[in-house]
Amino acid sequence: MTLPHPTADQISLPNVLAVLGDPTRLAIVRYLASKEGVPLNCSQFLDLGSKTNLSYHLAKLREAGVTRTEVVGTSRLITLRRDDLNARFPGLLDSVIAAAVDDPALPVVGASEIEVRA
């Protein structure tokens, strides 16, 4: 099974900006960028809400061309489409991620990964 993705030429700036305007989706992109090069299972984003809500946000990111989702068995592995976005809109993704890194208004993803040291 493969999911539909826009080609690099089909990625449009209005769609990308609209998708990244949502705090949950921006938090997902910020987290993906922090784990660059590592495909993440969609269950790693469950801190952001229900599976249904999360599926909606991940689909919007994929449909806009911000992420790539690979189906592996029953898992969905998500990665950023950094190369495609940089080819279409040089520097856009880096600027968005840099602005989102320290934004306290964004939801936190991966809070369960934080180690507590005694």
Side-chain angles (χ1 to χ4, degrees), residues 4 9 22-23 25-26 37-38 54 66 72 79 81 83 92 110 113:
D9 292 340
D22 180 87
R25 292 191 284 264
L26 188 52
V38 178
L54 184 58
V66 175
V72 179
T79 55
R81 291 182 64 180
D83 291 341
L92 175 68
E113 291 179 9

Side-chain angles (χ1 to χ4, degrees), residues 62-110:
R62 178 180 48 79
E63 291 164 358
V66 175
T67 61
R68 178 165 304 284
T69 304
E70 182 182 353
V71 178
V72 179
T74 58
S75 296
R76 306 290 186 265
L77 300 178
I78 299 106
T79 55
L80 281 178
R81 291 182 64 180
R82 182 179 289 281
D83 291 341
D84 290 338
L85 289 167
N86 283 338
R88 290 284 289 153
F89 317 109
L92 175 68
L93 188 58
D94 289 333
S95 296
V96 168
I97 292 166
V101 166
D102 296 321
D103 189 341
L106 293 180
V108 176
V109 183

Side-chain angles (χ1 to χ4, degrees), residues 11 27-28 32 55-56 58 66-67 91 93 102-103 107-108 111-112 117:
I11 298 173
I28 291 169
L32 285 168
S55 292
Y56 171 79
L58 291 172
V66 175
T67 61
L93 188 58
D102 296 321
D103 189 341
V108 176
S112 59
R117 298 179 188 223

